[in-house]
Amino acid sequence: MLARGFQRRSYSQRLDEDDSVLETEWKRQLMSWKTLGLFTIPVIAFGLGTWQAQRLKWKMELLDDVNDRMHRPPIPLPLRVSASEIARNEFRRVLVHGVFDHAAEVLVGPRAMEGEPGFIVVTPLVREDGSRVLVNRGWIRRELKDPKSRPESQLDEPVTVVAFVRRAPRDNAFTPTSDPQSSEWFSIDVPRMAARANAQEVLLDAIHPESATSVLHDARYGIPIGTPLQVDIRNNHLQYMITWYGLGVFTSAMLIYSLRKPLTAAARIRRMRDRAGRFL
C-alpha cells in the first residue's frame, strides 16, 4: 500500500514538474524578442490601415473638389497668373486666346497611348499682350514626330483654347533627366520649358472634344489629342486600407495562436481519455 501510494505521489509529482517546465517555457517565449517582433507586425499593419483610411477620406474630398471645379463654366485666364492662383484653380477650365509659337514646340516622351508609342506636344501660346503660357496640346503618334509631316497641327492663325489649369507634374525616380540642349525632354519640366520659351510658369492641358471620330482623324493627321473632359484621378486607398487591415487581422490571429498557454498534464490526459472514449 505504501509503495503504491508512493508511486502515485511520484507520478503526480512528475506531472507537476512537467507543468512547471511548460509554464516556464511559455513565459520565456511570451517575453522573448521573437514575440516582440511578431507583435509589431499587426501593430504596424493596423497603423498603416488607419493611415490609408485617413488618406481615403482626404482623396474623396479632393475628388469632390476637383469634380466641382471641372464642371464649372470656363473662365478667361488672367494675363498674369501667380503660383497661388494655379494651386487654387487646378483642374478649373479656362479660356485662353492667342497664337501658337510652333518654332518653340517641345516633344516630351516617348509616351504611349493605348499601347501605341508617341509624344506629348507642349507649345507656347503667345497671347494678345505678348505674354506666353505653356500649353500641353496632347499626344501624337511617333511617326509624326517631324512637324513637316503634320501640317494641319502647325496653323499660324489665332486660336481659342479650352484647357485645364495644371500644376507642374512631379518626376518619379525612374524618369531620365531631360537635356534641353539636344531637345530631349522626358517629362514636362515647367520651369525649364518656361525659361527656354520666355513664358510664364503656367501649364495648361488642352481639352480634346469627346468624339471618337475626331480622335481618329486627329491621330491620323498629327493633330495632338488633348486631355479628355473627365480626368481620371487614381484612388487606390480603399484597396490599400483593406489589405493592411486584413494583414493586421491575420497576423493578430497567428500571434494569439502561437502564444496560447499550453495545457496542463492533467488536462492533456483528460483530453486523451475523452478522445479514446469516442472510439470505444
Side-chain angles (χ1 to χ4, degrees):
M1 294 290 292
L2 291 174
R4 190 176 303 160
F6 175 77
Q7 289 177 353
R8 288 199 189 98
R9 284 196 299 272
S10 177
Y11 180 68
S12 176
Q13 288 174 354
R14 287 199 299 271
L15 291 179
D16 291 340
E17 290 173 357
D18 290 344
D19 289 343
S20 177
V21 171
L22 289 173
E23 180 84 10
T24 302
E25 180 65 23
W26 176 73
K27 290 181 178 179
R28 187 190 66 79
Q29 181 184 358
L30 195 64
M31 303 303 294
S32 67
W33 287 105
K34 178 182 177 182
T35 301
L36 180 61
L38 291 174
F39 179 75
T40 60
I41 296 176
V43 171
I44 292 174
F46 281 121
L48 290 173
T50 302
W51 176 62
Q52 287 298 332
Q54 295 171 349
R55 294 282 293 175
L56 175 62
K57 180 182 178 183
W58 166 80
K59 181 58 74 70
M60 294 301 294
E61 292 175 350
L62 175 64
L63 291 175
D64 289 341
D65 185 35
V66 168
N67 187 63
D68 176 65
R69 295 183 199 175
M70 290 173 57
H71 290 86
R72 292 179 189 174
I75 58 175
L77 182 72
L79 294 176
R80 295 293 172 182
V81 184
S82 64
S84 60
E85 289 176 320
I86 293 174
R88 188 171 59 253
N89 291 290
E90 187 175 21
F91 289 106
R92 182 72 190 271
R93 284 186 295 167
V94 295
L95 297 171
V96 58
H97 185 75
V99 178
F100 282 118
D101 181 6
H102 298 292
E105 175 184 277
V106 170
L107 298 182
V108 180
R111 292 285 192 278
M113 183 176 182
E114 297 184 356
E116 185 173 357
F119 294 91
I120 298 296
V121 180
V122 179
T123 310
L125 183 73
V126 184
R127 307 182 69 186
E128 54 266 31
D129 67 337
S131 63
R132 295 167 170 241
V133 293
L134 299 174
V135 179
N136 172 9
R137 300 180 62 197
W139 178 88
I140 61 169
R141 292 158 47 205
R142 182 173 57 186
E143 294 78 9
L144 301 174
K145 178 179 180 179
D146 186 354
K148 295 179 181 178
S149 64
R150 44 186 171 89
E152 291 192 22
S153 71
Q154 303 291 301
L155 302 179
D156 296 327
E157 59 192 36
V159 295
T160 298
V161 179
V162 182
F164 288 124
V165 177
R166 293 300 309 274
R167 283 194 255 193
R170 297 178 181 178
D171 294 342
N172 59 46
F174 304 100
T175 304
T177 302
S178 299
D179 183 7
Q181 300 299 326
S182 58
S183 298
E184 292 184 344
W185 298 87
F186 299 102
S187 64
I188 301 179
D189 189 335
V190 173
R192 296 172 74 182
M193 288 182 175
R196 181 175 179 269
N198 193 27
Q200 298 182 64
E201 292 187 13
V202 178
L203 178 65
L204 305 177
D205 280 359
I207 299 174
H208 194 274
E210 294 185 349
S211 167
T213 302
S214 64
V215 169
L216 292 174
H217 173 273
D218 292 351
R220 179 180 180 183
Y221 292 101
I223 300 173
I225 300 173
T227 301
L229 182 60
Q230 187 66 38
V231 178
D232 183 21
I233 301 177
R234 292 172 57 187
N235 183 13
N236 297 323
H237 296 296
L238 179 60
Q239 300 174 27
Y240 297 152
M241 182 187 71
I242 294 173
T243 299
W244 285 119
Y245 276 144
L247 180 61
V249 171
F250 175 76
T251 52
S252 295
M254 293 295 295
L255 180 64
I256 293 171
Y257 179 80
S258 64
L259 295 179
R260 70 192 188 283
K261 192 172 183 178
L263 295 173
T264 63
R268 292 200 302 273
I269 291 173
R270 284 196 300 270
R271 176 178 289 185
M272 292 172 63
R273 287 175 177 173
D274 291 343
R275 290 178 178 175
R278 297 193 190 104
F279 296 100
L280 295 178

